[in-house]
């Protein structure tokens, strides 16, 4: 259950991803047995709700609750940065550190992040990662090597 409160919900998944505990982070974020991002998705959400447990049964309270609330938006940043590995090092994402995290829950994925510098793309096939760095940008790969624009398989 997402029981760490608003501020804990922002930092706990990040810390879990950063410490290679992606599976625990995903089970926390998407637990179907307690209020979580999974339960609002099951309730038909296409945005992040103000109350993760408001559910469709609270329709009479719609006038006081937000169905598109930025408060929980840090999860998207956490997924791009701590899970997919696109962490900004310089303003405008001119330079990133690429440090993806593997998970048994999410083995095959594509993450696209449009920035003012251009679009970064991370693809994972369950075994390896491919990073696409946009023109005029650089990335620090997990081995410490700094590279320019192009596609890199790790």
């Amino acid at each position: 259950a997402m029981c760490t409160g608003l501020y804990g919900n922002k930092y706990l998944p990040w810390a879990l991803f950063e410490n290679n505990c992606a599976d625990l982070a995903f089970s926390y974020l998407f637990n179907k047995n307690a209020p979580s991002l999974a339960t609002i998705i099951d309730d038909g959400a296409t945005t992040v709700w103000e109350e993760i447990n408001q559910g469709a049964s609270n329709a009479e309270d719609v006038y006081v609750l937000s169905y598109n609330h930025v408060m929980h938006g840090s999860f998207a940043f956490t997924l791009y940065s701590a899970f997919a590995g696109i962490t900004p090092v310089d303003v405008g994402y001119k330079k990133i550190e690429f440090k993806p995290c593997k998970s048994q829950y999410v083995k095959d994925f594509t993450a696209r992040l449009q920035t003012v510098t251009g679009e970064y793309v991370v693809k994972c096939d369950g075994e390896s990662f491919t990073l696409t760095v946009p023109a005029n940008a650089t990335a620090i790969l997990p081995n410490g090597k700094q590279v320019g624009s192009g596609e890199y398989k790790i």
Side-chain angles (χ1 to χ4, degrees), residues 70-141:
V70 72
M71 178 171 59
H72 297 295
S74 62
F75 295 124
F77 179 75
T78 297
L79 291 174
Y80 280 111
S81 193
F83 177 62
I86 306 170
T87 304
V89 174
D90 198 0
V91 295
Y93 287 80
K94 291 178 186 175
K95 183 177 188 179
I96 67 156
E97 180 179 8
F98 182 59
K99 185 182 168 192
C101 188
K102 287 192 174 186
S103 167
Q104 293 300 313
Y105 286 128
V106 182
K107 295 179 183 178
D108 184 11
F109 70 88
T110 300
R112 297 178 180 277
L113 182 61
Q114 186 65 46
T115 71
V116 295
T117 302
E119 183 180 56
Y120 286 91
V121 180
V122 176
K123 293 181 183 179
C124 180
D125 62 12
E127 297 297 321
S128 62
F129 292 92
T130 303
L131 170 67
T132 303
V133 179
N136 301 316
T138 57
I140 303 167
L141 301 180

Side-chain angles (χ1 to χ4, degrees), residues 12-17 21-30 78 105:
L12 179 61
W14 181 279
L16 292 171
F17 283 123
C21 296
D23 294 336
L24 187 56
F26 278 118
S27 66
Y28 173 79
L29 289 171
F30 296 101
T78 297
Y105 286 128

Side-chain angles (χ1 to χ4, degrees), residues 10-74:
K10 178 178 181 179
Y11 296 110
L12 179 61
W14 181 279
L16 292 171
F17 283 123
E18 284 288 303
N19 288 285
N20 292 314
C21 296
D23 294 336
L24 187 56
F26 278 118
S27 66
Y28 173 79
L29 289 171
F30 296 101
N31 180 353
K32 290 188 175 234
N33 298 317
S36 70
L37 295 179
T39 57
I40 66 169
I41 291 168
D42 287 348
D43 283 337
T46 57
T47 59
V48 180
W49 294 350
E50 179 177 2
E51 298 289 335
I52 59 173
N53 62 345
Q54 71 192 49
S57 62
N58 293 336
E60 68 275 4
D61 294 334
V62 168
Y63 69 95
V64 295
L65 299 174
S66 169
Y67 283 95
N68 191 13
H69 207 76
V70 72
M71 178 171 59
H72 297 295
S74 62

